[in-house]
Amino acid sequence: MDTIDKLKLLSDASQYDLACACGTRGGPDHRVRGEDGSWLYPVSMPGGGYSIMLKTLVSNVCSNDCGYCPFRESMDVRRCTIGADEMAKLFMDYVRRRRLIGIFLSSGVVGTPDNTMELINGTAEILRRRYSYRGYIHLKVIPGASDAAIDQAISLANAVSVNIEVPGEKHFTALSRKKDFLKDIIAPMRRISQLTDRGMRYQRVRQTTQFIVGAADESDAEIVKYTSGLYRRLNLNRVYFSAYQRGLGAEAIPGERRVDVLEGDGFVREHRLYQVDFLFRQYGFCEEDIAFDERGRLFTDRDPKLVWAERHPERFPVDVNAADLPTLLKVPGIGPLTAKRIVKMRKGGARIFSADGLPLKGKRLALAGKYLKY
């Protein structure tokens, strides 16, 4: 294959790794296929709007046995690898032809974790040193990589990620016999956390991770517990969730055997988990605020913030003219921007006498109105 054919194959394979926060389904802020077959991903910018990032594997060759992965060692698929020089040159050609914010590099395991990190880090180093590229680089840290390889990745990247995949060693063992959860996944995440902690040399580097929802027989409660712990103990910047796509993995893994999963159920779980994640990061909720059904699953028929409100009638109605920001954020229908606008209105001397005075409309206004007083 020539370089473009390789890129088509490898960028398509990279769609299963969401740890760079790339959307996948519909809308102007989601990925699009380039003319040459590569996947281009819009990335939200701090000042608003979106810019474009190229996302690809450097290789889909893999010596691992992860049961959820369509590119595990036992699968009969087309394999190829793009070398560091080749990938760096290809990306810079992209940069010259169109505006790209950066690149996300991941890979299957080519022989050993460190051999693979040489390909990933080597590409980033060529971009930084030879081409003086100062744009955004997100590097996947391969499970089991050495401390030296991890340190080099952090020195070259704006963001790094080690995908945790499942909540805990028990579930991880069911998916892979070759990888060790504590040694190959948790230990690298801890090292990245230490090197990127506040006050450290690489504090500007972001760390993210991803759960594959439904690949094992894990409960939502287990995923939520681990997500909370990752934010509190390892200071991760983002946790992402990807619904396991049945049929891609090995038939022997727990997620394939389960009979209680309906078509599309994984995507509902993924959506609810993202709602919990937003409650943690933007609404001041903690693990103890999240409610589950008797199976440890989030409620599929209503969002977790509404469930919390229904279970705490003593906290409502909230006085919209007196409540502080954290209290307003507990009100169903009110998000961070609306809560801040209400506080700003009050500081300006305004008083809200009815629902008509709220910076809300439609269904959100109707919902919030049930939990407010004036």
Side-chain angles (χ1 to χ4, degrees):
M1 290 184 280
D2 63 22
T3 302
I4 296 301
D5 287 333
K6 290 180 182 179
L7 182 64
K8 288 179 183 178
L9 185 63
L10 295 175
S11 65
D12 194 52
S14 72
Q15 67 182 293
Y16 303 107
D17 188 338
L18 302 184
C20 61
C22 299
T24 59
R25 294 186 295 278
D29 58 339
H30 291 74
R31 72 182 186 190
V32 294
R33 175 82 79 168
E35 292 180 1
D36 59 3
S38 63
W39 283 108
L40 303 174
Y41 287 79
V43 179
S44 59
M45 304 297 290
Y50 295 87
S51 192
I52 303 297
M53 178 167 67
L54 174 67
K55 180 183 179 187
T56 184
L57 304 182
V58 297
S59 179
N60 66 350
V61 175
C62 195
S63 59
N64 270 337
D65 62 343
C66 305
Y68 54 82
C69 181
F71 302 102
R72 61 190 179 279
E73 185 179 32
S74 62
M75 295 297 284
D76 183 15
V77 297
R78 258 182 115 193
R79 310 276 186 176
C80 69
T81 300
I82 298 183
D85 276 314
E86 193 177 14
M87 180 64 78
K89 181 178 182 299
L90 179 69
F91 176 67
M92 291 310 298
D93 287 341
Y94 264 82
V95 171
R96 295 184 187 102
R97 285 190 284 119
R98 61 182 301 166
R99 268 184 93 176
L100 293 179
I101 186 181
I103 187 170
F104 175 95
L105 291 174
S106 184
S107 183
V109 181
V110 187
T112 66
D114 271 14
N115 182 61
T116 311
M117 291 304 298
E118 283 186 25
L119 286 169
I120 294 173
N121 290 344
T123 302
E125 187 164 32
I126 291 170
L127 289 173
R128 295 297 196 207
R129 313 289 186 238
R130 184 186 304 171
Y131 294 106
S132 299
Y133 179 68
R134 295 294 174 260
Y136 184 86
I137 296 179
H138 184 132
L139 300 180
K140 176 78 172 291
V141 172
I142 302 301
S146 67
D147 288 350
I150 294 170
D151 296 356
Q152 184 184 24
I154 293 172
S155 73
L156 294 165
N158 301 88
V160 293
S161 57
V162 182
N163 287 354
I164 192 169
E165 313 295 23
V166 291
E169 189 170 14
K170 179 186 73 171
H171 298 302
F172 194 84
T173 302
L175 299 179
S176 175
R177 296 177 182 274
K178 291 190 175 184
K179 292 190 292 188
D180 183 280
F181 184 70
L182 297 178
K183 178 169 157 287
D184 296 336
I185 305 294
I186 300 301
M189 293 177 77
R190 283 180 176 154
R191 182 166 186 84
I192 294 168
S193 178
Q194 292 167 356
L195 294 175
T196 59
D197 200 6
R198 185 175 301 174
M200 301 301 289
R201 179 181 179 186
Y202 298 113
Q203 64 177 359
R204 62 174 180 78
V205 179
R206 294 165 49 88
Q207 181 180 188
T208 68
T209 193
Q210 173 187 242
F211 285 96
I212 297 182
V213 181
D217 57 356
E218 81 289 339
S219 67
D220 292 336
E222 290 174 297
I223 296 177
V224 168
K225 180 179 180 179
Y226 262 78
T227 298
S228 175
L230 290 170
Y231 282 131
R232 287 186 290 105
R233 292 193 288 271
L234 295 183
N235 300 315
L236 263 72
N237 295 96
R238 279 298 306 270
V239 175
Y240 297 99
F241 310 94
S242 175
Y244 172 62
Q245 299 178 53
R246 301 181 75 186
L248 294 178
E251 292 183 0
I253 70 174
E256 287 289 303
R257 293 203 307 268
R258 292 215 326 269
V259 296
D260 63 328
V261 177
L262 302 176
E263 188 67 29
D265 181 58
F267 293 108
V268 176
R269 291 185 66 192
E270 176 188 302
H271 179 61
R272 293 294 182 225
L273 287 164
Y274 270 117
Q275 289 177 323
V276 171
D277 179 73
F278 274 82
L279 292 180
F280 285 164
R281 293 187 299 107
Q282 298 186 22
Y283 289 78
F285 280 64
C286 61
E287 180 186 341
E288 291 71 26
D289 293 324
I290 309 303
F292 305 92
D293 66 16
E294 65 280 358
R295 296 184 301 164
R297 300 282 289 270
L298 293 164
F299 293 87
T300 57
D301 60 341
R302 56 203 190 280
D303 71 72
K305 184 180 179 183
L306 180 58
V307 173
W308 181 89
E310 292 172 347
R311 294 192 172 201
H312 292 84
E314 76 282 359
R315 302 287 293 270
F316 302 99
V318 166
D319 186 343
V320 72
N321 288 295
D324 58 15
L325 186 65
T327 302
L328 288 171
L329 286 172
K330 297 284 189 179
V331 177
I334 292 182
L337 292 178
T338 301
K340 290 175 183 177
R341 288 180 65 185
I342 291 172
V343 172
K344 186 176 180 180
M345 288 168 59
R346 293 188 333 218
K347 286 182 177 178
R351 182 173 180 82
I352 301 171
F353 293 99
S354 69
D356 293 336
L358 291 171
L360 284 168
K361 59 183 179 180
K363 293 181 179 179
R364 291 179 59 208
L365 175 60
L367 179 60
K370 299 176 183 178
Y371 296 90
L372 296 173
K373 66 179 180 181
Y374 308 93

